[in-house]
Amino acid sequence: MRKIRYLVRGTFVFISILLILVMIQQSIASNRNGKLSYKASVPNQVILCLERGRSANEFLSDIRGNVIKEMPRRNIMLIDFPDNIPVEKVANAFGRRAGVVFAQPNYLCGLPEINCQDEYTPDLNNPVYIAGISPGPYYNQQATNSSGADSANLFSTGSGIVVAVIDNGIDFGHPLFADIPDSTGYDFVDNDGEPAEETGDMLGHGTFVSGLIKLVAPDCILIPYRAFDESGIGDSYAIAMAIYRAIDDSVDIINMSFNTYTSSSVIETAVAAARQAGITMVASSGNDSCSTTSYPAAYAGVIMVGAIDSLDYLAAYSNYGAYLDVVAPGVMVYSALHTDYESDWGYWSGTSFAAPQVSGGCALILELEPSLTGDSMEVFIRETAETGLLWGTVVPCDTLYGYGRDNVLRSVTCLRRGDVDNSGQIDSLDYQYLINYLNYGGPAPTPIIGLGDVDCSGAVNSLDVSYLINYVNFSGPKPCCQ
């Protein structure tokens, strides 16, 4: 009987140890994949935002702390202190003191592909890069075909539009980015002016994301900001610094292919500043197949993008929920890989790669309508999304598909509908052009005939001429936007 008791007790101890090990492993995985359900943060660091006129010296003596980084114009600083004080305790104590706007741990954040769908597939054919032609799978893939980006380039290529990419850097040596100087952007991990990717588990992530932006908007100007290290981990302070730097650099769009489930005051404040500046922000929803609120995508003024497959079904890993704006292809998408791989090109899956396609589409829209603010862009993207998917119809706002699939061709056509002679403005020459086309065999509306379907009836006919005359001469309704 005693042997049985020892056996039972030993089994219980073994199971307890096993459970503890599993919990530790889950905690480590949580820290690694950016979910941060345990609110993982950088040890011994607190972010402090003070009211104007207040100094960190008023607070540091209590914890023997030091300011290690600072954003003077924002009065935001990163503080470190001895490791015998819990981070949450320090943040909470500071947060209750007068003169403190907010105090928080320096929360960690991860690239979504760290723990889910992180296998890339190099194109072993290793095609040579020829702008606009090769690789074939890059320029002719389901991703851009479904959004109509290739046809949208007949109207716009994103020329002059500046897109910031907050990620783990970029491969400046890749032929796709040969026109980007090595000194473009900034590295907030190593604190230098060369945001090149470094060898690690997430090598190629920023390069792949940047390649998809250039695919949709080939003439946009990319600025990489490295806020994530080679393993795909970044912290709140570095991300906020990157957003503020993007504001200072007067970018038009910020792509954020990362997410966390812990709201961060410093990132939220930076996002609010970018929103106030009118910047369009696009973020991935995350790769955990859940509806948990994900940041920064859920912050006001940010376009949240989920991923779908080639049949328009939500990707098995894609997050969803009430904050979702649109979906875009994110399964086996083709783009630029880091040149340290077996090929300069390949396939990858994840919501990180759905978001940059929307960012590229926003660049096309801004070239045509530069006055659009980030808030207006979010509404416009929703209004022009495709609701008729391959499997059926989306009824906005659907928690799985948001307002539908991103449709950049519809967006740019909406801005140019009625300009049938492609002159850049809608005037009497356009309805004369349309009359000539319909009655006398003149040239069709250019570059696509859909510009002449002014009432969105699905056909170009005399009703469109009447509609256009009414708009130009009698202040009638604008050409429809569908």
Side-chain angles (χ1 to χ4, degrees):
M1 182 66 70
R2 181 177 298 177
K3 288 183 179 180
I4 293 175
R5 285 201 302 270
Y6 285 151
L7 179 61
V8 171
R9 185 179 301 171
T11 303
F12 175 80
V13 170
F14 173 78
I15 293 174
S16 299
I17 293 173
L18 182 62
L19 288 173
I20 291 171
L21 289 173
V22 169
M23 290 176 65
I24 292 173
Q25 184 178 22
Q26 288 176 339
S27 177
I28 293 172
S30 175
N31 293 349
R32 189 169 182 266
N33 71 11
K35 182 179 289 189
L36 305 181
S37 58
Y38 291 85
K39 293 191 175 182
S41 62
V42 180
N44 313 319
Q45 288 187 1
V46 164
I47 300 170
L48 193 61
C49 179
L50 302 179
E51 294 176 353
R52 296 297 178 187
R54 305 303 290 262
S55 169
N57 294 331
E58 303 175 42
F59 306 90
L60 298 185
S61 59
D62 296 346
I63 58 169
R64 302 192 307 278
N66 299 290
V67 176
I68 56 176
K69 292 181 181 179
E70 189 172 9
M71 292 182 267
R73 289 195 295 121
R74 317 284 179 182
N75 217 19
I76 299 174
M77 56 214 69
L78 183 62
I79 296 169
D80 73 346
F81 50 87
D83 59 7
N84 58 343
I85 310 175
V87 173
E88 290 282 357
K89 184 177 180 180
V90 172
N92 291 335
F94 278 160
R96 291 191 293 268
R97 295 184 60 173
V100 175
V101 179
F102 64 77
Q104 66 161 84
N106 191 10
Y107 294 121
L108 294 175
C109 181
L111 301 176
E113 286 65 42
I114 290 176
N115 197 51
C116 178
Q117 290 290 328
D118 58 352
E119 293 186 2
Y120 59 88
T121 305
D123 182 354
L124 297 182
N125 292 320
N126 199 14
V128 175
Y129 172 66
I130 304 173
I133 299 174
S134 177
Y138 176 67
Y139 285 107
N140 183 24
Q141 59 178 303
Q142 183 268 339
T144 49
N145 289 340
S146 68
S147 68
D150 51 347
S151 297
N153 285 155
L154 297 172
F155 297 94
S156 171
T157 58
S159 179
I161 304 302
V162 182
V163 184
V165 182
I166 300 177
D167 216 286
N168 67 333
I170 193 173
D171 180 6
F172 290 103
H174 196 286
L176 185 61
F177 310 116
D179 60 337
I180 304 178
D182 292 0
S183 57
T184 302
Y186 196 80
D187 186 335
F188 294 96
V189 178
D190 295 334
N191 297 310
D192 59 46
E194 297 183 4
E197 285 199 64
E198 297 183 5
T199 303
D201 291 342
M202 281 288 100
L203 180 68
H205 190 276
T207 298
F208 203 89
V209 166
S210 299
L212 290 168
I213 296 172
K214 290 290 281 186
L215 173 63
V216 178
D219 292 330
C220 74
I221 301 168
L222 288 179
I223 300 184
Y225 297 112
R226 184 171 180 253
F228 293 81
D229 63 18
E230 60 277 7
S231 63
I233 299 296
D235 62 73
S236 299
Y237 194 83
I239 293 167
M241 287 185 72
I243 295 172
Y244 282 124
R245 176 62 179 266
I247 297 171
D248 292 341
D249 288 342
S250 300
V251 308
D252 300 296
I253 300 166
I254 301 176
N255 187 87
M256 299 181 287
S257 288
F258 55 86
N259 77 295
T260 176
Y261 299 99
T262 303
S263 184
S264 163
S265 295
V266 71
I267 296 178
E268 184 175 12
T269 302
V271 165
R275 185 187 183 197
Q276 181 67 31
I279 296 172
T280 294
M281 292 172 283
V282 182
S284 54
S285 64
N287 288 5
D288 296 298
S289 188
C290 68
S291 60
T292 305
T293 304
S294 174
Y295 306 98
Y299 290 136
V302 181
I303 300 171
M304 180 189 281
V305 185
I308 54 175
D309 61 20
S310 60
L311 297 177
D312 286 346
Y313 286 104
L314 192 71
Y317 55 80
S318 180
N319 286 5
Y320 50 92
Y323 294 98
L324 191 64
D325 286 295
V326 291
V327 291
V331 177
M332 292 299 284
V333 182
Y334 192 101
S335 186
L337 284 177
H338 195 283
T339 49
D340 281 357
Y341 285 117
E342 303 161 81
S343 172
D344 294 350
W345 307 90
Y347 299 88
W348 211 339
S349 298
T351 56
S352 283
F353 314 126
Q357 296 172 59
V358 176
S359 292
C362 291
L364 302 189
I365 293 166
L366 282 177
E367 182 188 342
L368 298 177
E369 193 62 50
S371 63
L372 279 180
T373 64
D375 286 351
S376 299
M377 180 69 77
E378 184 174 20
V379 172
F380 189 58
I381 291 295
R382 290 173 174 179
E383 289 178 342
T384 56
E386 176 59 63
T387 56
L389 306 188
L390 291 175
W391 53 262
T393 302
V394 172
V395 179
C397 173
D398 186 275
T399 56
L400 296 182
Y401 298 91
Y403 288 77
R405 185 184 67 229
D406 180 50
N407 190 333
V408 65
L409 177 59
R410 177 177 290 173
S411 299
V412 298
T413 302
C414 172
L415 295 173
R416 299 294 294 273
R417 198 182 299 277
D419 181 19
V420 295
D421 61 0
N422 199 23
S423 67
Q425 59 184 356
I426 302 173
D427 52 28
S428 61
L429 295 177
D430 291 297
Y431 61 71
Q432 292 170 12
Y433 190 107
L434 204 53
I435 291 171
N436 189 39
Y437 164 67
L438 291 171
N439 299 325
Y440 305 108
T446 181
I448 63 172
I449 195 170
L451 294 182
D453 183 16
V454 186
D455 60 0
C456 291
S457 65
V460 179
N461 53 37
S462 60
L463 294 177
D464 296 298
V465 174
S466 301
Y467 195 109
L468 206 50
I469 291 173
N470 188 37
Y471 168 67
V472 173
N473 296 329
F474 304 105
S475 301
K478 291 182 178 181
C480 90
C481 193
Q482 290 184 7

